[in-house]
Amino acid sequence: MLQSMRIEGGHRLEGTVEISGAKNLALPAMVASLLTDQPIVLHNVPNLTDITTMLGILEHLGSDPSCYGSDITLCTKNIVNVEAPYDYVRKMRASILCLSPLVSRCGRARVSLPGGCAIGLRSVDLHIRTLVLMGADISIEDGFIKASAPNGLTGCEIEFPKVTVTGTENALMASVLAKGSTRLVNVAIEPEVQEFAKLLNLMGAKISGIGTSVLEIEGVEKLHGAEFNIIPDRIEAGTYAIASSLTHGKIFLKNCIYGHLQCFFTALQQTGTTVQNREDGVLVYNNNDVIYPYCIYTDPYPAFPTDLQAQYMVLMSLCNGNATVTENLFENRFMHVQELIRMGANIYVDGRCARITGVQSLKGAPVMATDLRASVALVLAGLVAEGTTIVNRLYHIDRGYENIDNKLCACGAVLERITQ
Ligand code: UD1
């Protein structure tokens, strides 16, 4: 049944939000369990539909998962299936992460092409290119990527023409069990990618250069089990930081790691918000009457994250001047703009750049969520809009925000879920 969220705007938020484990680390960490026949124990895994989808895929491939609270143990004694079916992949593009471990461990894989994606082409050509350079035969048949490397993969030097997060993670999973050494140049250095490489090393891999844009991997014969803690979700933390700033509130982001959001917090401070790095989290409050304009552009880490662009745009919609938000990573990530305009925002999209003129207030309206980050941006807009906002197609939000209703209500938000 389809769910919506009804939000009564205009309530200042104050309280503590405990930040959950990072979705974008939990997903590849779960997939890494395919590389060994021993158990991988993950702590602090968020309860999200994307995680449930991934559990479904891994079970289909032969994993025997057990979940207890936020702990997940995954053990894949044998891979019983080398195909990641369309039904899973269409729900979550991160399913492409299964490609490399299947080829590494079984010498073959059949993974459905993700197909059209709401936020841009987000092609998988770089994932495929890595495997081809490492000696796999790849063909596209009936909407599936069919990969085969019966004699295993061979290490080589691979330079990425574009920084890709899951592309780097797939390349790492292809290299750790490959023959010889691999050098990956121009890799993603997002905290999640660094942590992912550390997990692989805990499993017995030999990866050096973690945290830099060049990774060197010495292939090993076998990987073993490991126990690993998922870091807090910086995108979730950034979203609640904006909720605090927007409502002129005060929210303590428990567990948030300041250094993972340096560029974002610097921008937030420029808008007049106070950000204090504390021992066990980050305090964000906004005592100002106005929100100052500050222009941002998205790029790979450590730049401003694309996953916080839509939320930041809501803040700029209410600034006391003009600001631009430039999206450099995805070509179609402005779908929230039309909905924000319906709520009274003044935004003009000019190619990759959204030009925003701040307005006095937003007005509640029924709006439609189109993707994960766009949907949470509409919830943020609803929190400050005059009157009632109804965010439809809420399922997007449950893919990436654990317990969002309770977390917001505990800080004083007035909202409820409705089933239509
Ligand atoms: C990951 C994150 C997502 C985030 C994105 C950018 C996960 C599960 N998801 O997605 O939340 O928004 O990083 O920070 O970690 N590209 C190609 N060819 C490829 C792969 C990517 O052209 O083979 C392009 C994409 O179209 C995009 C850019 O590279 O323009 C970056 O995408 P990428 O970093 O790969 O995003 P994801 O890993 O899918």
Side-chain angles (χ1 to χ4, degrees):
M1 254 189 293
L2 278 183
Q3 286 192 326
S4 306
M5 188 182 277
R6 190 208 312 258
I7 307 160
E8 185 192 300
H11 298 272
R12 178 177 179 272
L13 299 192
E14 180 161 355
T16 293
V17 173
E18 195 165 334
I19 303 305
S20 301
K23 167 180 89 72
N24 286 354
L25 173 58
L27 291 172
M30 290 166 75
V31 176
S33 67
L34 293 174
L35 292 165
T36 173
D37 58 7
Q38 294 181 13
I40 298 294
V41 182
L42 301 173
H43 300 294
N44 199 31
V45 178
N47 183 6
L48 302 168
T49 50
D50 269 9
I51 299 293
T52 314
T53 304
M54 187 56 90
L55 281 171
I57 299 178
L58 296 178
E59 245 179 323
H60 173 82
L61 299 176
S63 176
D64 182 13
S66 65
C67 306
Y68 184 75
S70 61
D71 296 340
I72 292 186
T73 302
L74 295 144
C75 188
T76 319
K77 286 252 175 280
N78 296 299
I79 302 234
V80 297
N81 216 321
V82 291
E83 178 174 316
Y86 176 68
D87 240 18
Y88 290 114
V89 183
R90 75 178 169 82
K91 284 191 198 147
M92 186 182 62
R93 281 184 44 89
S95 322
I96 188 72
L97 284 164
C98 297
L99 185 61
S100 288
L102 288 174
V103 178
S104 280
R105 194 157 153 198
C106 304
R108 61 204 174 91
R110 209 168 165 263
V111 176
S112 168
L113 274 170
C117 176
I119 66 168
L121 292 175
R122 294 180 77 170
S123 54
V124 290
D125 57 328
L126 300 176
H127 299 249
I128 293 173
R129 176 175 168 266
T130 300
L131 289 178
V132 169
L133 290 173
M134 295 182 77
D137 277 332
I138 304 235
S139 56
I140 308 290
E141 283 173 22
D142 310 322
F144 279 80
I145 305 166
K146 198 172 157 206
S148 131
N151 301 316
L153 297 167
T154 308
C156 64
E157 169 148 345
I158 298 167
E159 181 163 351
F160 287 91
K162 207 178 214 182
V163 175
T164 154
V165 171
T166 49
T168 300
E169 290 160 349
N170 244 334
L172 278 172
M173 288 191 282
S175 319
V176 286
L177 292 173
K179 289 184 213 93
S181 53
T182 303
R183 194 161 181 266
L184 303 175
V185 180
N186 196 28
V187 296
I189 56 164
E190 271 70 0
E192 295 79 15
V193 180
Q194 296 185 36
E195 288 293 310
F196 179 67
K198 288 182 201 163
L199 165 64
L200 293 174
N201 276 352
L202 276 178
M203 295 169 67
K206 290 190 176 155
I207 304 169
S208 59
I210 296 174
T212 74
S213 58
V214 179
L215 293 171
E216 315 242 7
I217 303 105
E218 202 55 57
V220 295
E221 280 279 307
K222 231 174 152 20
L223 295 180
H224 51 73
E227 194 167 341
F228 190 69
N229 207 25
I230 304 293
I231 54 169
D233 194 310
R234 64 196 166 99
I235 305 303
E236 188 198 18
T239 303
Y240 288 107
I242 291 178
S244 177
S245 185
L246 259 178
T247 62
H248 300 269
K250 184 177 185 182
I251 297 185
F252 180 61
L253 309 167
K254 190 158 184 271
N255 306 332
C256 169
I257 300 171
Y258 182 90
H260 289 174
L261 281 169
Q262 192 100 43
C263 180
F264 166 77
F265 280 140
T266 302
L268 206 57
Q269 280 162 326
Q270 297 299 320
T271 70
T273 301
T274 305
V275 180
Q276 285 176 358
N277 186 10
R278 299 270 172 94
E279 205 176 301
D280 54 343
V282 177
L283 179 68
V284 177
Y285 62 92
N286 185 1
N287 287 344
N288 276 324
D289 291 336
V290 293
I291 293 164
Y292 299 114
Y294 185 70
C295 304
I296 61 108
Y297 62 91
T298 67
D299 254 340
Y301 188 84
F304 194 102
T306 175
D307 285 350
L308 284 171
Q309 176 259 107
Q311 302 88 313
Y312 185 80
M313 198 181 295
V314 179
L315 188 65
M316 285 304 97
S317 301
L318 291 167
C319 75
N320 71 339
N322 300 303
T324 57
V325 167
T326 307
E327 173 57 55
N328 284 332
L329 283 181
F330 294 109
E331 61 276 9
N332 190 18
R333 210 173 199 185
F334 281 147
M335 281 170 306
H336 45 284
V337 169
Q338 281 315 313
E339 300 301 283
L340 291 177
I341 290 173
R342 294 185 52 248
M343 295 179 74
N346 183 350
I347 306 171
Y348 168 70
V349 174
D350 182 6
R352 286 186 173 276
C353 179
R355 300 183 190 283
I356 306 147
T357 301
V359 293
Q360 283 286 327
S361 61
L362 295 175
K363 311 271 184 286
V367 286
M368 189 74 87
T370 45
D371 71 51
L372 171 55
R373 307 303 169 186
S375 59
V376 84
L378 297 175
V379 170
L380 292 177
L383 291 173
V384 275
E386 287 168 7
T388 304
T389 296
I390 295 181
V391 181
N392 293 303
R393 291 204 193 154
L394 203 60
Y395 56 86
H396 288 291
I397 229 167
D398 294 324
R399 290 186 44 211
Y401 288 88
E402 184 177 49
N403 226 349
I404 186 168
D405 319 33
N406 291 343
K407 287 185 182 186
L408 285 172
C409 288
C411 293
V414 177
L415 52 84
E416 62 172 347
R417 236 170 236 249
I418 44 182
T419 304
Q420 286 155 340

